[in-house]
């Protein structure tokens, strides 16, 4: 495995930011003192380093600008009550990072190097991890093609980087959402199951149009009939119907395999609760609401863990779950937060502590 060189910043900006009192509007605005980077050159990962945060100088011919070979992950580090810090399911993120890389014809990044680079980066910037409830350090590993060439082909060189920013709570209230029936996020055979930059760019227009109508987010549906539910915004989505949790399955590879989604399923199954993964049509949600069986709907993802959905609008009909207190999803969120902040024992080995000595 390549050696990782370390160059420390001469000064820290930590005192210029109150990391314990950040709002949703501060998301991604305050970066830590360092970054991790590595270069893929001549078929090998090299130039691995943790160094002071700085901007990049790149060619206007950079392949990533023109052909979109760019992927990323979103993960978090938390501060325990004993002041130690830990990342949440880092190996799962490393594995998903490489699935995205393979789909976009990019080189995989060795999992052990991913974890080592992440750990060394966080060891140096550990003071940037907040300790207040609801706060964390958001970590963004990403990779992009770096050939300075306009030939339409996979790049021969790449850069992988990790940056981070302290964040507070992402959403402050339950969401009002609408079902998208015009635009498409992903089709079978596409890149829907990858965390590719282009997936997010393609979602902005539909989301902005929904916001102009007074909605907070949209629920994406399938490309064929706009009836089968995929994701909500940039999150997975779940429904509690007659005390059973339902969520769209991943078989068509049009939906991102969310780490939080996976975590919630494993948590509930360990408690003996029933979870159904299936192709889920919006008409099933409408019917469940009409019979009073739709108790909750909520988004799940790294940014907010669980976010309640107050209402879903489909064909001008407003669907409102029956449990306005969102008892089920709030309990899940609290259970996971207790594990993430070290308040309860992590029997799943999801948290990986970082040596900050």
């Amino acid at each position: 495995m390549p050696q990782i060189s370390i160059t420390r910043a001469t000064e820290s900006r930590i005192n210029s930011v109150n990391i314990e009192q950040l709002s949703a509007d501060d998301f991604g605005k305050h970066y830590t003192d360092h970054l991790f980077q590595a270069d893929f050159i001549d078929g090998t990962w090299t130039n691995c380093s943790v160094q002071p945060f700085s901007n990049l100088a790149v060619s206007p011919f950079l392949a990533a600008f023109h052909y979109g070979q760019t992927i990323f992950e979103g993960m978090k580090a938390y501060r325990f009550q004993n002041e130690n810090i830990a990342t949440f399911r880092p190996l799962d993120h490393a594995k998903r990072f490489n699935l995205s890389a393979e789909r976009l014809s990019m080189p995989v990044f060795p999992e052990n190097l991913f974890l080592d680079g992440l750990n060394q980066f966080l060891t140096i910037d550990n003071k940037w991890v907040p300790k207040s409830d609801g706060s964390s350090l958001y970590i963004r590993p990403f990779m992009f093609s770096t050939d300075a060439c306009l030939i339409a082909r996979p790049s021969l060189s790449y850069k992988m980087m990790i940056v981070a920013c302290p964040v507070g709570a992402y959403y402050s209230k339950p969401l009002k959402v609408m079902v998208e029936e015009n635009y498409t996020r992903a089709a079978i055979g596409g890149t829907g199951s990858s965390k590719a930059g282009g997936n997010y760019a393609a979602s902005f227009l539909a989301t902005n149009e929904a916001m102009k109508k007074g909605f907070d987010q949209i629920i994406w549906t399938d490309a064929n009939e706009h009836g089968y539910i995929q994701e909500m915004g940039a999150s997975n989505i779940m429904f509690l119907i007659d005390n059973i949790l339902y969520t769209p399955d991943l078989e068509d590879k049009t939906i991102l395999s969310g780490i939080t989604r996976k975590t919630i399923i494993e948590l509930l199954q360990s408690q003996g609760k029933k979870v159904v993964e299936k192709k889920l049509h919006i008409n099933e949600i409408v019917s469940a609401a009409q019979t009073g069986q739709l108790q909750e709907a909520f988004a799940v993802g790294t940014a907010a863990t669980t976010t309640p959905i107050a209402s879903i609008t489909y064909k001008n009909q407003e669907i409102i779950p029956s449990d306005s207190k969102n008892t089920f999803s709030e309990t899940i969120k609290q259970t996971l937060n207790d594990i993430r902040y070290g308040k309860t024992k992590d029997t799943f080995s999801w948290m990986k502590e970082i040596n900050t000595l």
Side-chain angles (χ1 to χ4, degrees):
M1 185 171 69
Q3 293 296 309
I4 299 174
S5 66
I6 306 293
T7 304
R8 292 179 177 267
T10 55
E11 296 182 9
S12 175
R13 290 172 288 96
I14 187 69
N15 293 328
S16 67
V17 183
N18 186 345
I19 64 173
E20 305 299 345
Q21 294 185 3
L22 296 173
S23 68
D25 292 335
D26 293 313
F27 192 94
K29 288 185 178 180
H30 306 288
Y31 47 84
T32 65
D33 294 319
H34 298 83
L35 56 79
F36 169 83
Q37 69 168 19
D39 296 310
F40 187 79
I41 302 172
D42 295 332
T44 302
W45 285 104
T46 186
N47 301 334
C48 303
S49 66
V50 175
Q51 61 189 59
F53 186 97
S54 64
N55 293 329
L56 298 174
V58 297
S59 168
F61 276 51
L62 192 78
F65 293 158
H66 302 277
Y67 303 118
Q69 272 189 300
T70 173
I71 62 170
F72 67 94
E73 274 297 310
M75 54 190 299
K76 286 184 174 181
Y78 298 83
R79 189 171 298 279
F80 288 168
Q81 289 185 312
N82 63 7
E83 295 297 320
N84 292 348
I85 66 170
T87 51
F88 183 71
R89 306 194 75 158
L91 181 57
D92 291 281
H93 285 282
K95 290 180 180 296
R96 190 173 67 176
F97 189 75
N98 282 334
L99 290 175
S100 297
E102 289 175 345
R103 179 61 183 84
L104 270 71
S105 296
M106 304 170 78
V108 298
F109 194 78
E111 292 172 4
N112 56 350
L113 184 56
F114 183 105
L115 298 177
D116 190 27
L118 175 66
N119 289 352
Q120 293 203 43
F121 166 56
L122 292 177
T123 296
I124 295 174
D125 272 350
N126 73 86
K127 59 183 175 294
W128 284 89
V129 182
K131 60 183 177 182
S132 55
D133 282 353
S135 297
S136 57
L137 186 71
Y138 181 85
I139 304 164
R140 173 58 61 89
F142 63 106
M143 186 200 302
F144 58 95
S145 55
T146 55
D147 280 6
C149 175
L150 294 184
I151 298 175
R153 57 156 172 77
S155 182
L156 300 179
S157 62
Y158 298 85
K159 184 178 286 290
M160 187 275 192
M161 305 183 75
I162 303 176
V163 295
C165 54
V167 297
Y170 195 69
Y171 291 115
S172 59
K173 62 180 179 63
L175 304 177
K176 180 180 179 182
V177 305
M178 62 165 281
V179 177
E180 178 56 51
E181 298 181 81
N182 182 28
Y183 299 106
T184 298
R185 175 190 173 274
I188 295 175
T191 61
S193 61
S194 305
K195 280 190 81 70
N199 290 346
Y200 294 78
S203 73
F204 292 157
L205 177 61
T207 304
N208 286 345
E209 289 184 1
M211 288 180 173
K212 289 177 182 178
K213 297 175 183 178
F215 298 98
D216 300 303
Q217 266 296 352
I218 59 177
I219 294 177
W220 292 105
T221 51
D222 69 291
N224 291 330
E225 63 175 270
H226 288 295
Y228 288 95
I229 296 169
Q230 292 183 340
E231 296 184 9
M232 196 207 79
S235 305
N236 294 123
I237 190 167
M238 293 182 166
F239 303 89
L240 184 66
I241 301 174
D242 197 20
N243 293 316
I244 298 174
L245 188 69
Y246 290 83
T247 193
D249 66 38
L250 307 176
E251 290 184 9
D252 288 340
K253 296 186 177 181
T254 58
I255 298 172
L256 185 70
S257 179
I259 306 301
T260 306
R261 175 189 183 277
K262 177 181 179 180
T263 299
I264 290 174
I265 291 173
E266 291 176 0
L267 175 67
L268 295 178
Q269 290 177 337
S270 74
Q271 298 172 346
K273 296 177 181 176
K274 187 175 181 179
V275 180
V276 177
E277 299 176 74
K278 58 169 285 188
K279 286 182 172 55
L280 193 58
H281 200 282
I282 186 62
N283 286 339
E284 296 178 66
I285 307 305
V286 173
S287 296
Q290 291 173 341
T291 60
Q293 293 178 302
L294 177 63
Q295 296 154 283
E296 292 186 42
F298 52 99
V300 299
T302 296
T305 305
T306 66
T307 304
I309 297 173
S311 68
I312 302 169
T313 295
Y314 176 58
K315 295 187 181 300
N316 297 318
Q317 176 184 353
E318 188 175 46
I319 302 166
I320 299 177
S322 61
D323 186 356
S324 60
K325 294 183 179 180
N326 304 295
T327 307
F328 186 81
S329 59
E330 288 298 319
T331 299
I332 291 173
K333 185 174 185 177
Q334 188 61 55
T335 299
L336 292 181
N337 280 344
D338 286 346
I339 293 173
R340 288 165 169 167
Y341 292 105
K343 296 179 180 179
T344 59
K345 186 177 181 180
D346 175 19
T347 59
F348 300 91
S349 298
W350 288 331
M351 307 302 298
K352 302 302 177 184
E353 289 198 47
I354 304 298
N355 181 9
T356 58
L357 297 178

